[in-house]
């Protein structure tokens, strides 16, 4: 049995109060949450994360107060279980409340929904640029991640593992700056440093085993770990993200015009399939944008209604013919809070609950649902006016927010007037613009980035009109602003080009495949009595809009040699200078070629992680080698320190008041360490400590090695592994 501590031993320090533990842990997590506000736009995610942190802290405090008199073996696991249950209920209510049972408990649907959102959120992070737009999937990722972080930090701090708490908190806090290559947040760094000092101070006051002096080894280990993270792991992370299989091709679509990063990605994947009763597959839309503030086109806002209530009355009058079709869509590789639909949707069957119709633009949106995995059928009605009808109509007559054009660069209005000078109807003016873009401009994904005008703001459009090269958002943005200078109601649509046919069949219908590189944007203009009409100004993509004279086919309006009239850009054969070759095949983000994975960044990151994980073991081995070298030359204190350090690594008590003889006797009695080997070490220690003249103790390495071998063998395998990988002697002086 271990000897009791004498009266001269240090007084027992009071155990930390449960409220203090919970509050300190929550403070740490909230401090580490701050840097994420620099890489994620404000939104639901911050509210979810804060609530989750409060729930973890509150449930931990309550459980520890109720079980304060219970043994640690009961108190700790019950507290952990209470936190897991509480945070599971909180996350379910916050993120998937519509799928719960009794409003509290998750179901199989909850798990599937959360899984889909996590997959989408990972894609958003990996494909987005800081600040990443806030979204429900991103709130799911951040909420669940910080639930895990909050529980780990709370538990580690309660167990007085302050070093591990600080390391974990630091890694979580710096991760946004590492991944985004952002500048160091000095204010956060200072607050983080103060928080760390408070943690150490609190732990020192309440840990009866707290060291009486600083551990230089621990400090060196933490510093080395930080260097490894900064120099080895950090540079590899963004490269690994870009080259990692399974992460590169995934796609997330939001209601904005930041499509360049997705279109420039090195690999393409199938995002959805469709079958249709029409002769050609339609364009699919997810959002319309008609509000322009000089820099950004913003999504349209409007009332929503239940999906089964439909999309409201048709935009066209009684004299305009319309053709109905059915389009069945299966979403396979895209996540969005908006459901892809063709224009003009009349009815949707088969979609899951949670979707709402927005009649103002005939799109489908949701606050809770995700497009991933949806399989549904859309009934559409497409207006097919004749050439005479659309020429007789004017591009006016829709209620919309006024879009001032006086602050636009002069080149936009001047060019619009010059290009349309020979046209006499609104339709002909727009056709002139469309043809001008398609014949005088070239398609390029890289030129806007190289020349610094990759956007749809007024200044970017001015540069685009001068450089005459860009991709869909530049063509659509320039066309829209030029139409606005002619006082026409215009909006930009974000969606997908029509798919390509495959060998697969659903019944007798051909299955069309839509891939991630077919993400697209195009303009629409409103005509009185006809509705919104799409135009395709993007050079070499699709087929330009063209309506046919009624008399060319006996009034049918569909001449064989003309493209089929459509309110979405056509994919049928084109004529004139339009080239059907897809320019994206030659761009870094296009084509069907697969990118070869470069293993270097992966190996670099894996090596860095392994070094980081094995660093404590390496430091401990080096320290042991140094002490054995000194023991071999007769240094008794080095040998005894190694024995004590090994006991600490194995989780054995090393009371400060215990003499060398007392410790040797205890090890022999309880651990079976040979008394002869320990006697050699004890005598050497006593001669060094008490002899009037130092005398050589001889080689102590052999006795030390035998004693440590027997001591290590006396504990179970779990303790031995823990002693190797995470030696406690580096972090605590025993």
């Amino acid at each position: 049995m271990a000897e009791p501590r004498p009266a001269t031993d240090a007084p027992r320090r009071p155990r930390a109060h449960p409220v203090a533990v919970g509050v300190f842990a929550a403070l740490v997590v909230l401090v580490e949450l701050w840097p994420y506000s620099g890489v994620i736009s404000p939104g639901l995610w911050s509210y979810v994360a804060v609530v989750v942190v409060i729930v973890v802290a509150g449930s931990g405090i309550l459980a520890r107060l109720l079980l304060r008199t219970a043994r640690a073996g009961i108190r700790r696991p019950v507290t952990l279980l209470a936190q897991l249950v509480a945070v599971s209920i909180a996350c379910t209510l916050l993120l998937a409340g519509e799928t719960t049972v009794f409003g509290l408990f998750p179901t199989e649907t909850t798990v599937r929904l959360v899984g889909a959102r996590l997959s989408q959120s990972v894609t958003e992070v990996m494909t987005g640029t800081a600040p990443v737009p806030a979204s429900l999937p991103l709130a799911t990722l951040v909420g669940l991640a910080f639930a895990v972080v909050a529980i780990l930090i709370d538990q580690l701090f309660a167990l007085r593992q302050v070093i591990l708490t600080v390391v974990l908190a630091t890694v979580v806090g710096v991760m946004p700056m590492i991944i985004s290559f952002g500048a160091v947040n000095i204010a956060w760094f200072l607050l983080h440093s103060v928080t760390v000092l408070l943690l150490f101070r609190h732990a020192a006051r309440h840990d009866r085993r707290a060291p009486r002096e600083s551990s230089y080894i621990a400090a060196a280990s933490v510093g080395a770990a930080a260097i490894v993270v900064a120099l080895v792991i950090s540079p590899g992370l963004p490269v690994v993200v870009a080259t990692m299989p399974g992460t590169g091709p995934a796609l997330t679509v939001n209601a904005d015009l930041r499509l360049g990063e997705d279109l420039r990605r090195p690999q393409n994947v199938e995002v959805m399939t469709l079958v249709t009763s029409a002769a050609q597959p339609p364009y699919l839309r997810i959002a319309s944008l008609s509000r322009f503030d000089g820099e950004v086109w913003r999504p349209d806002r409007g009332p929503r209604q239940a999906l089964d209530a439909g999309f409201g009355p048709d935009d066209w009058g009684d004299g305009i013919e319309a053709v109905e079709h059915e389009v069945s869509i299966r979403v396979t590789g895209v996540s969005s809070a908006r459901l892809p639909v063709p224009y003009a949707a009349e009815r949707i069957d088969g979609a899951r609950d949670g979707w709402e119709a927005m009649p103002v633009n005939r799109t489908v949106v949701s606050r809770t649902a995700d497009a991933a995995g949806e399989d549904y059928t859309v009934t559409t009605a497409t207006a097919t006016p004749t050439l005479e009808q659309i020429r007789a109509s004017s591009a006016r007559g829709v209620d919309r927010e006024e879009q001032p054009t006086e602050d636009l660069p002069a080149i936009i209005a001047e060019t619009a007037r010059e290009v349309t000078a020979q046209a006499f109807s609104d339709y002909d003016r727009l056709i002139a613009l469309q043809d001008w873009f398609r014949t005088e401009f070239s398609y390029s994904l890289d030129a806007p980035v190289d020349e610094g005008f990759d956007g749809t703001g007024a200044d970017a459009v001015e540069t685009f009109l001068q450089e005459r090269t860009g991709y869909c958002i530049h063509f659509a943005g320039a066309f829209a602003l030029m139409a606005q200078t002619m006082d026409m109601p215009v909006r930009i649509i974000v969606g997908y080009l029509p798919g390509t046919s495959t060998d697969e069949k659903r019944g007798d219908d051909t299955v069309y495949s839509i891939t991630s590189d077919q993400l697209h944007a195009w303009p629409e203009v409103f005509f009185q009595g006809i509705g919104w009409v799409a135009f395709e100004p993007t050079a070499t993509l699709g087929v330009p809009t063209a309506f046919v004279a009624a008399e060319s086919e006996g009034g049918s309006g569909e001449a064989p040699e003309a493209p089929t009239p459509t309110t979405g850009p056509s994919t049928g054969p084109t004529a004139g200078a339009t080239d059907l070759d897809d320019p994206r095949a030659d761009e870094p983000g296009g084509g069907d070629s697969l990118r070869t994975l470069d293993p270097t960044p992966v190996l670099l990151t894996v090596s860095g992680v392994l070094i980081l994980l094995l660093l404590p073991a390496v430091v401990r081995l080096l320290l042991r080698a140094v002490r054995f070298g000194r023991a071999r030359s007769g240094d008794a204190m080095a040998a005894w320190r190694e024995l004590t350090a090994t006991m600490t690594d194995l989780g054995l008590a090393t009371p400060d008041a215990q003499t060398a003889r007392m410790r040797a006797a205890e090890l022999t009695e309880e651990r079976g360490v040979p008394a002869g080997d320990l006697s050699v070490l004890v005598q050497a220690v006593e001669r060094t400590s008490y002899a009037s003249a130092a005398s050589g103790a001889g080689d102590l390495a052999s006795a030390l090695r035998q004693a440590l071998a027997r001591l290590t063998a006396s504990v179970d395998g779990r303790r031995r592994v823990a002693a190797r990988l995470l030696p406690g002697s580096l972090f605590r002086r025993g």
Side-chain angles (χ1 to χ4, degrees):
M1 297 296 293
E3 294 286 343
R5 288 179 177 266
T8 57
D9 195 14
R12 294 174 62 88
R13 296 174 182 175
R15 190 169 64 193
H17 195 279
V19 175
V21 172
V23 170
F24 266 106
L27 172 64
V28 172
V29 180
L30 292 176
V31 169
E32 309 317 322
L33 177 65
W34 180 12
Y36 290 81
S37 64
V39 295
I40 307 176
S41 298
L44 178 65
W45 67 272
S46 55
Y47 170 76
V48 172
V50 171
V51 170
V52 163
V53 172
I54 293 174
V55 168
V56 170
S59 58
I61 290 172
L62 181 60
R64 292 187 181 102
L65 285 174
L66 295 176
L67 300 171
R68 196 169 188 182
T69 59
R71 291 186 294 112
I74 297 177
R75 182 177 65 254
R76 290 169 181 170
V78 171
T79 300
L80 176 60
L81 180 61
Q83 290 176 319
L84 290 172
V85 172
V87 82
S88 297
I89 294 175
C91 288
T92 301
L93 291 176
L94 289 169
L95 302 170
E98 72 278 9
T99 66
T100 60
V101 174
F102 304 120
L104 288 176
F105 304 106
T107 62
E108 182 181 353
T109 304
T110 307
V111 175
R112 290 202 304 269
L113 179 60
V114 170
R117 287 177 178 167
L118 287 177
S119 176
Q120 176 184 353
S121 64
V122 171
T123 302
E124 291 181 8
V125 172
M126 292 184 173
T127 61
T129 55
V132 179
S135 64
L136 184 57
L138 205 57
T140 303
L141 174 65
V142 175
L144 293 179
F146 271 89
V148 174
V149 170
I151 291 175
L152 285 175
I153 287 181
D154 183 273
Q155 291 291 321
L156 286 172
F157 188 58
L159 293 173
R160 305 186 186 94
Q161 298 295 327
V162 184
I163 295 293
L164 293 180
T165 302
V166 171
V167 170
L168 175 60
T170 303
V171 170
V172 172
V174 302
M175 195 58 65
M177 290 169 273
I178 291 176
I179 294 179
S180 66
F181 289 104
V184 176
N185 186 332
I186 300 299
W188 168 82
F189 180 79
L190 294 175
L191 182 58
H192 173 75
S193 301
V194 171
T195 305
V196 170
L197 292 176
L198 290 175
L199 283 177
F200 280 118
R201 176 62 175 166
H202 182 272
R205 293 184 61 186
H206 295 88
D207 189 353
R208 67 177 64 94
R209 300 169 299 174
R212 297 177 181 176
E213 56 179 313
S214 300
S215 174
Y216 298 105
I217 298 173
S221 300
V222 174
I227 293 173
V228 170
V229 171
L231 298 182
V232 179
I233 300 179
S234 304
L237 282 175
V239 183
V240 171
V241 167
T243 58
M244 188 178 295
T247 60
L251 183 67
T252 298
V253 177
N254 297 302
D256 56 40
L257 288 178
R258 297 189 297 179
L259 310 183
E261 292 299 322
D262 289 311
L263 294 176
R264 281 187 287 267
R265 300 182 66 196
Q267 291 177 288
N268 301 314
V269 293
E270 183 179 79
V271 295
M272 66 188 83
T273 59
L274 66 83
V275 296
T276 178
S277 60
Q280 297 289 339
Y283 271 54
L284 300 180
R285 64 185 55 215
I286 63 169
S288 67
L289 304 90
S290 62
R291 297 179 296 127
F292 182 67
D293 61 8
E295 292 294 334
V296 179
W297 287 87
R298 301 194 180 278
D300 289 332
R301 298 174 296 192
R304 303 179 182 186
Q305 60 190 35
L307 203 56
D308 55 11
F311 294 85
D314 296 331
D315 293 329
W316 51 89
D318 295 336
I320 304 298
E321 293 187 6
V323 179
E324 288 194 356
H325 294 292
E326 285 192 350
V327 181
S328 295
I329 302 170
R330 181 176 297 167
V331 182
T332 58
V334 63
S335 294
S336 179
R338 296 170 179 266
L339 204 61
V341 293
Y343 188 77
E346 297 280 321
R347 188 180 74 252
I348 295 182
D349 300 307
R352 295 192 291 260
D353 294 338
W355 295 102
E356 296 176 300
M358 187 180 292
V360 68
N361 57 4
R362 293 182 178 267
T363 59
V364 181
V365 298
S366 177
R367 296 180 177 88
T368 58
D370 191 289
E374 287 284 5
D375 193 344
Y376 52 99
T377 299
V378 185
T379 301
T380 66
T382 305
T384 57
T386 64
L387 179 61
E388 292 82 5
Q389 287 174 322
I390 196 168
R391 276 179 170 167
S393 176
S394 62
R396 306 288 187 275
V398 63
D399 293 334
R400 60 192 177 97
E401 296 182 19
E402 288 297 325
Q403 303 293 328
T405 59
E406 59 270 13
D407 294 332
L408 296 177
I411 188 177
I412 297 177
E414 292 171 358
T415 305
R417 287 194 298 269
E418 179 182 340
V419 172
T420 62
Q422 303 302 316
F424 297 100
S425 70
D426 286 345
Y427 171 73
D428 289 329
R429 292 185 184 94
L430 295 171
I431 290 296
L433 281 181
Q434 176 182 261
D435 292 345
W436 180 68
F437 278 116
R438 295 183 66 87
T439 57
E440 300 296 329
F441 285 65
S442 63
Y443 185 96
S444 173
L445 286 170
D446 294 325
V449 177
D450 297 338
E451 301 298 329
F453 64 95
D454 193 14
T456 54
D459 292 338
V461 169
E462 179 181 17
T463 306
F464 170 67
L465 293 177
Q466 296 167 347
E467 298 291 335
R468 299 197 175 192
T469 183
Y471 56 98
C472 61
I473 67 170
H474 303 96
F475 287 94
F479 186 102
L481 290 183
M482 294 171 80
Q484 278 190 357
T485 64
M486 295 185 289
D487 200 28
M488 297 181 182
V490 64
R491 66 188 183 186
I492 296 177
I493 304 299
V494 175
Y496 291 92
L497 290 161
T500 55
S501 61
T502 68
D503 295 333
E504 184 181 353
K505 297 280 187 179
R506 290 187 198 171
D508 295 330
D509 295 323
T510 298
V511 175
Y512 293 88
S513 173
I514 300 174
T515 54
S516 55
D517 66 333
Q518 291 178 304
L519 193 61
H520 192 50
W522 65 93
E524 289 184 342
V525 178
F526 189 87
F527 283 80
Q528 284 184 327
I530 296 175
W532 291 99
V533 176
F535 292 85
E536 179 57 284
T538 302
T540 70
L541 285 185
V543 172
T545 297
F547 290 90
V548 183
E551 59 270 16
S552 64
E553 278 292 314
S556 69
E558 296 185 8
E561 70 276 11
T564 302
T566 174
T567 54
S570 172
T571 56
T574 185
T578 304
D579 185 1
L580 280 180
D581 292 338
D582 187 349
R584 292 174 181 161
D586 298 325
E587 297 286 351
D592 297 326
S593 61
L594 295 179
R595 181 181 180 184
T596 303
L597 175 66
D598 181 7
T600 304
V602 177
L603 293 176
L604 180 64
T605 300
V606 171
S607 300
V609 172
L610 290 177
I611 291 173
L612 178 61
L613 294 176
L614 296 177
L615 186 61
V618 173
V619 173
R620 181 68 179 88
L621 287 175
L622 292 175
L623 187 58
R624 171 174 286 197
V626 171
R627 287 172 178 162
F628 261 95
R630 293 178 178 176
R632 192 171 293 108
S633 62
D635 189 336
M637 301 312 295
W640 193 255
R641 279 195 294 270
E642 178 58 31
L643 177 66
T644 302
T646 301
M647 292 178 63
T648 302
D649 295 343
L650 296 172
L652 304 178
T654 58
D656 292 340
Q658 207 174 41
T659 65
R661 286 184 178 273
M662 292 165 58
R663 183 165 297 174
E666 179 181 309
L667 291 176
T668 298
E669 178 181 351
E670 296 186 0
R671 298 294 168 181
V673 179
D677 295 325
L678 289 176
S679 177
V680 172
L681 299 178
V682 169
Q683 290 176 12
V685 169
E686 290 177 342
R687 281 197 301 270
T688 300
S689 301
Y690 307 117
S692 57
S695 58
D699 186 358
L700 301 175
S702 179
L704 176 62
R705 186 174 292 104
Q706 295 295 329
L708 294 183
R710 186 66 189 89
L711 178 62
T712 303
S714 69
V715 300
D716 56 40
R718 182 183 63 82
R719 284 195 183 186
R720 290 197 293 269
V721 172
R724 290 286 188 184
L725 297 180
L726 194 62
S729 60
L730 295 181
F731 309 103
R732 182 185 302 126
R733 290 288 183 89

